[in-house]
Amino acid sequence: MLPPRGSSGVARLRARWWLRRRALASKPRRVSSPLRVPHLCRSGRLLLDEAASRYVARVHRLEAGARLELFDPEAALRCAAVVSGIERRGVWVDAEPPQPVAPSALRRVTLLQSLGKGDKLDEVVRDATALGVSAMVTVASERSVVRLDEEGGERRRARWRRIAVETARQCGRGELPVLEGPLDFGSALRRSEGLTLMLAPEAPCSLREALERAERTQPLGLLIGPEGGWSERELAAASAAGVQGVRLGQWVLRTELAATAVLAAVLALSE
């Protein structure tokens, strides 16, 4: 409420600002395109789950009649929907029949990413999802600083999946990359399909040259090392498995930056 007469001008301005903010907060947000909401897709009248209902009704303040798009990243489906009602228990929508989503990339790319410290792999998952990677396998290399047991690995994968879903919602992607690991070096190599490339600053062949020699639709594996680099035993195993070393520029990149840079380069050179 407004302050009484005789109060300072600052107090009056502050009260007006508060009333204006409250009025704006009560108005539904305008969106230029249908809001994308991660949810199971099926036709008919649906009650959105708690998280999706909160996102639609509280975060974006949509009202009855608003259009949105449901997408199921696990099943790679999407469907158009209209908000039909908002109740205390959730948001009701009328959904059209689900449609399959188009593939996110021309070629299947598997990222073999070494474990990193802190939240570095959170960044990698976020960027890899937006750049269309098909699968991401975390590698417990000999020089990886971080070590995860089975329980720790399960918690990390659950976190990475949430990050991938949120990224897919933001960037418009309809499906999620497969998230695996941590695996030992040999097991991770066996997850790669087609041509497998390993970033190495001293390699005689560049990433561009390697991709120009390959078919545009050939599956690709990209091996990114840890902060301390690959061990001699891992380099020997990679060579024996037919992995090709490639360079990307002349500088040594951080492990999380290397992943983003090489995926962006592959996307650009594969179009």
Side-chain angles (χ1 to χ4, degrees):
M1 56 184 295
L2 286 171
R5 290 186 177 182
S7 61
S8 68
V10 173
R12 286 183 176 277
L13 289 174
R14 192 174 293 170
R16 289 175 184 171
W17 171 84
W18 182 82
L19 289 172
R20 179 175 174 78
R21 182 180 179 185
R22 185 177 180 182
L24 290 174
S26 64
K27 294 181 179 180
R29 292 186 180 181
R30 295 181 179 179
V31 291
S32 57
S33 58
L35 183 69
R36 301 187 75 237
V37 181
H39 198 275
L40 293 176
C41 290
R42 69 173 189 271
S43 60
R45 195 158 191 251
L46 305 177
L47 178 63
L48 301 185
D49 59 36
E50 182 180 356
S53 293
R54 182 171 58 252
Y55 182 68
V56 170
R58 295 187 182 180
V59 177
H60 285 272
R61 301 188 291 275
L62 297 189
E63 298 177 336
R67 299 193 63 83
L68 49 82
E69 180 181 274
L70 304 181
F71 77 101
D72 183 351
E74 301 287 357
L77 295 173
R78 63 180 179 85
C79 61
V82 178
V83 176
S84 57
I86 300 176
E87 302 175 356
R88 291 193 58 161
R89 58 175 173 162
V91 175
W92 289 94
V93 300
D94 292 324
E96 298 179 5
Q99 303 292 329
V101 300
S104 57
L106 180 64
R107 70 165 86 220
R108 179 174 175 81
V109 177
T110 300
L111 177 65
L112 308 173
Q113 173 68 47
S114 295
L115 286 171
K117 295 183 292 185
D119 60 354
K120 290 185 176 182
L121 259 66
D122 292 0
E123 298 180 35
V124 175
V125 171
R126 189 174 293 110
D127 292 347
T129 301
L131 291 169
V133 75
S134 305
M136 175 175 162
V137 181
T138 50
V139 185
S141 60
E142 293 184 9
R143 294 180 179 173
S144 291
V145 177
V146 177
R147 299 293 174 183
L148 296 177
D149 56 19
E150 184 174 348
E151 183 179 352
E154 187 65 33
R155 287 198 303 268
R156 286 289 186 95
R157 283 193 298 275
R159 173 178 172 79
W160 294 333
R161 184 192 176 280
R162 291 194 296 270
I163 292 173
V165 169
E166 179 61 18
T167 303
R169 183 194 65 76
Q170 292 174 344
C171 73
R173 181 171 177 174
E175 89 287 15
L176 295 182
V178 176
L179 302 174
E180 289 190 84
L183 302 180
D184 61 73
F185 187 80
S187 298
L189 277 184
R190 289 191 287 273
R191 293 293 194 276
S192 180
E193 303 176 39
L195 175 65
T196 303
L197 304 176
M198 172 188 284
L199 280 191
E202 309 85 6
C205 178
S206 69
L207 176 64
R208 176 189 288 275
E209 292 168 338
L211 292 178
E212 286 176 346
R213 297 171 189 165
E215 295 291 335
R216 291 187 64 197
T217 57
Q218 182 180 11
L220 192 64
L222 300 171
L223 198 54
I224 309 296
E227 290 91 338
W230 301 111
S231 68
E232 293 299 325
R233 182 162 50 183
E234 288 168 336
L235 290 173
S239 178
V243 176
Q244 180 181 346
V246 294
R247 68 179 185 276
L248 181 64
Q250 57 181 322
W251 310 118
V252 177
L253 304 179
R254 299 193 312 272
T255 182
E256 71 276 15
L257 177 57
T260 302
V262 73
L263 288 172
V266 167
L267 181 63
L269 294 172
S270 297
E271 290 185 340

